PDB file of all heavy atoms in Angstrom:
ATOM      1  N   VAL A  16     116.124 147.177  67.614  1.00 96.00           N
ATOM      2  CA  VAL A  16     116.674 145.875  67.188  1.00 96.00           C
ATOM      3  C   VAL A  16     116.062 144.711  67.875  1.00 96.00           C
ATOM      4  O   VAL A  16     115.724 143.673  67.241  1.00 96.00           O
ATOM      5  CB  VAL A  16     118.279 145.884  67.602  1.00 96.00           C
ATOM      6  CG1 VAL A  16     118.938 144.582  67.407  1.00 96.00           C
ATOM      7  CG2 VAL A  16     118.973 146.900  66.730  1.00 96.00           C
ATOM      8  N   ARG A  17     115.764 144.884  69.144  1.00 96.00           N
ATOM      9  CA  ARG A  17     115.086 143.852  69.887  1.00 96.00           C
ATOM     10  C   ARG A  17     113.667 143.664  69.393  1.00 96.00           C
ATOM     11  O   ARG A  17     113.253 142.466  69.238  1.00 96.00           O
ATOM     12  CB  ARG A  17     114.993 144.226  71.329  1.00 96.00           C
ATOM     13  CG  ARG A  17     116.333 144.322  72.001  1.00 96.00           C
ATOM     14  CD  ARG A  17     116.323 144.770  73.419  1.00 96.00           C
ATOM     15  NE  ARG A  17     115.751 143.698  74.227  1.00 96.00           N
ATOM     16  CZ  ARG A  17     115.266 143.925  75.424  1.00 96.00           C
ATOM     17  NH1 ARG A  17     115.254 145.072  76.009  1.00 96.00           N
ATOM     18  NH2 ARG A  17     114.740 142.855  76.118  1.00 96.00           N
ATOM     19  N   ALA A  18     112.944 144.671  69.040  1.00 95.00           N
ATOM     20  CA  ALA A  18     111.565 144.571  68.500  1.00 95.00           C
ATOM     21  C   ALA A  18     111.628 143.855  67.156  1.00 95.00           C
ATOM     22  O   ALA A  18     110.771 143.021  66.887  1.00 95.00           O
ATOM     23  CB  ALA A  18     110.918 145.973  68.449  1.00 95.00           C
ATOM     24  N   THR A  19     112.562 144.247  66.346  1.00 95.00           N
ATOM     25  CA  THR A  19     112.672 143.634  64.996  1.00 95.00           C
ATOM     26  C   THR A  19     113.027 142.093  65.106  1.00 95.00           C
ATOM     27  O   THR A  19     112.446 141.296  64.402  1.00 95.00           O
ATOM     28  CB  THR A  19     113.712 144.371  64.186  1.00 95.00           C
ATOM     29  OG1 THR A  19     113.404 145.707  64.086  1.00 95.00           O
ATOM     30  CG2 THR A  19     113.923 143.687  62.818  1.00 95.00           C
ATOM     31  N   ALA A  20     113.822 141.792  66.084  1.00 95.00           N
ATOM     32  CA  ALA A  20     114.107 140.381  66.307  1.00 95.00           C
ATOM     33  C   ALA A  20     112.837 139.634  66.626  1.00 95.00           C
ATOM     34  O   ALA A  20     112.603 138.473  66.188  1.00 95.00           O
ATOM     35  CB  ALA A  20     115.112 140.193  67.382  1.00 95.00           C
ATOM     36  N   LEU A  21     112.061 140.263  67.524  1.00 92.00           N
ATOM     37  CA  LEU A  21     110.790 139.574  67.945  1.00 92.00           C
ATOM     38  C   LEU A  21     109.813 139.481  66.758  1.00 92.00           C
ATOM     39  O   LEU A  21     109.147 138.416  66.566  1.00 92.00           O
ATOM     40  CB  LEU A  21     110.118 140.378  69.041  1.00 92.00           C
ATOM     41  CG  LEU A  21     110.540 140.075  70.465  1.00 92.00           C
ATOM     42  CD1 LEU A  21     109.932 141.092  71.372  1.00 92.00           C
ATOM     43  CD2 LEU A  21     110.064 138.704  70.863  1.00 92.00           C
ATOM     44  N   GLU A  22     109.743 140.446  65.935  1.00 91.00           N
ATOM     45  CA  GLU A  22     108.921 140.422  64.712  1.00 91.00           C
ATOM     46  C   GLU A  22     109.282 139.310  63.809  1.00 91.00           C
ATOM     47  O   GLU A  22     108.420 138.589  63.307  1.00 91.00           O
ATOM     48  CB  GLU A  22     108.892 141.743  64.049  1.00 91.00           C
ATOM     49  CG  GLU A  22     108.165 142.839  64.788  1.00 91.00           C
ATOM     50  CD  GLU A  22     108.269 144.200  64.145  1.00 91.00           C
ATOM     51  OE1 GLU A  22     109.050 144.351  63.129  1.00 91.00           O
ATOM     52  OE2 GLU A  22     107.796 145.247  64.718  1.00 91.00           O
ATOM     53  N   ARG A  23     110.601 139.107  63.660  1.00 92.00           N
ATOM     54  CA  ARG A  23     111.065 138.063  62.810  1.00 92.00           C
ATOM     55  C   ARG A  23     110.813 136.631  63.413  1.00 92.00           C
ATOM     56  O   ARG A  23     110.620 135.610  62.629  1.00 92.00           O
ATOM     57  CB  ARG A  23     112.527 138.240  62.524  1.00 92.00           C
ATOM     58  CG  ARG A  23     112.709 139.481  61.637  1.00 92.00           C
ATOM     59  CD  ARG A  23     113.861 139.434  60.818  1.00 92.00           C
ATOM     60  NE  ARG A  23     113.911 140.777  60.049  1.00 92.00           N
ATOM     61  CZ  ARG A  23     114.504 140.826  58.919  1.00 92.00           C
ATOM     62  NH1 ARG A  23     114.990 139.792  58.368  1.00 92.00           N
ATOM     63  NH2 ARG A  23     114.458 141.932  58.248  1.00 92.00           N
ATOM     64  N   LEU A  24     110.872 136.564  64.737  1.00 87.00           N
ATOM     65  CA  LEU A  24     110.578 135.299  65.369  1.00 87.00           C
ATOM     66  C   LEU A  24     109.081 134.908  65.171  1.00 87.00           C
ATOM     67  O   LEU A  24     108.791 133.728  65.225  1.00 87.00           O
ATOM     68  CB  LEU A  24     110.832 135.480  66.884  1.00 87.00           C
ATOM     69  CG  LEU A  24     112.289 135.355  67.313  1.00 87.00           C
ATOM     70  CD1 LEU A  24     112.409 135.794  68.790  1.00 87.00           C
ATOM     71  CD2 LEU A  24     112.851 134.016  67.115  1.00 87.00           C
ATOM     72  N   ALA A  25     108.224 135.906  64.953  1.00 83.00           N
ATOM     73  CA  ALA A  25     106.875 135.566  64.596  1.00 83.00           C
ATOM     74  C   ALA A  25     106.716 134.670  63.360  1.00 83.00           C
ATOM     75  O   ALA A  25     105.800 133.924  63.235  1.00 83.00           O
ATOM     76  CB  ALA A  25     105.967 136.813  64.606  1.00 83.00           C
ATOM     77  N   ARG A  26     107.693 134.931  62.530  1.00 84.00           N
ATOM     78  CA  ARG A  26     107.591 134.116  61.248  1.00 84.00           C
ATOM     79  C   ARG A  26     108.070 132.709  61.365  1.00 84.00           C
ATOM     80  O   ARG A  26     107.826 131.879  60.453  1.00 84.00           O
ATOM     81  CB  ARG A  26     108.471 134.877  60.166  1.00 84.00           C
ATOM     82  CG  ARG A  26     108.014 136.311  59.951  1.00 84.00           C
ATOM     83  CD  ARG A  26     108.828 136.911  58.836  1.00 84.00           C
ATOM     84  NE  ARG A  26     108.559 138.319  58.802  1.00 84.00           N
ATOM     85  CZ  ARG A  26     109.407 139.210  58.349  1.00 84.00           C
ATOM     86  NH1 ARG A  26     110.499 138.867  57.794  1.00 84.00           N
ATOM     87  NH2 ARG A  26     109.083 140.456  58.404  1.00 84.00           N
ATOM     88  N   ILE A  27     108.847 132.442  62.397  1.00 83.00           N
ATOM     89  CA  ILE A  27     109.322 131.151  62.646  1.00 83.00           C
ATOM     90  C   ILE A  27     108.984 130.688  64.057  1.00 83.00           C
ATOM     91  O   ILE A  27     109.895 130.675  64.975  1.00 83.00           O
ATOM     92  CB  ILE A  27     110.912 131.030  62.386  1.00 83.00           C
ATOM     93  CG1 ILE A  27     111.604 132.176  62.966  1.00 83.00           C
ATOM     94  CG2 ILE A  27     111.178 130.863  60.983  1.00 83.00           C
ATOM     95  CD1 ILE A  27     113.173 132.138  62.881  1.00 83.00           C
ATOM     96  N   PRO A  28     107.768 130.353  64.276  1.00 77.00           N
ATOM     97  CA  PRO A  28     107.310 130.096  65.619  1.00 77.00           C
ATOM     98  C   PRO A  28     107.998 128.852  66.310  1.00 77.00           C
ATOM     99  O   PRO A  28     108.269 127.905  65.555  1.00 77.00           O
ATOM    100  CB  PRO A  28     105.831 129.797  65.579  1.00 77.00           C
ATOM    101  CG  PRO A  28     105.460 130.200  64.096  1.00 77.00           C
ATOM    102  CD  PRO A  28     106.659 130.295  63.371  1.00 77.00           C
ATOM    103  N   SER A  29     108.283 128.988  67.529  1.00 86.00           N
ATOM    104  CA  SER A  29     108.780 127.860  68.314  1.00 86.00           C
ATOM    105  C   SER A  29     108.422 128.075  69.765  1.00 86.00           C
ATOM    106  O   SER A  29     108.094 129.169  70.178  1.00 86.00           O
ATOM    107  CB  SER A  29     110.342 127.828  68.165  1.00 86.00           C
ATOM    108  OG  SER A  29     110.923 128.900  68.896  1.00 86.00           O
ATOM    109  N   PRO A  30     108.477 126.976  70.533  1.00 89.00           N
ATOM    110  CA  PRO A  30     108.206 127.159  71.978  1.00 89.00           C
ATOM    111  C   PRO A  30     109.081 128.208  72.669  1.00 89.00           C
ATOM    112  O   PRO A  30     108.658 128.948  73.497  1.00 89.00           O
ATOM    113  CB  PRO A  30     108.396 125.800  72.516  1.00 89.00           C
ATOM    114  CG  PRO A  30     108.155 124.859  71.409  1.00 89.00           C
ATOM    115  CD  PRO A  30     108.644 125.556  70.180  1.00 89.00           C
TER     116      PRO A  30
END
Side-chain angles (χ1 to χ4, degrees):
V16 171
R17 296 177 71 197
T19 301
L21 273 171
E22 288 172 0
R23 296 207 178 208
L24 283 170
R26 298 180 195 161
I27 43 174
S29 72

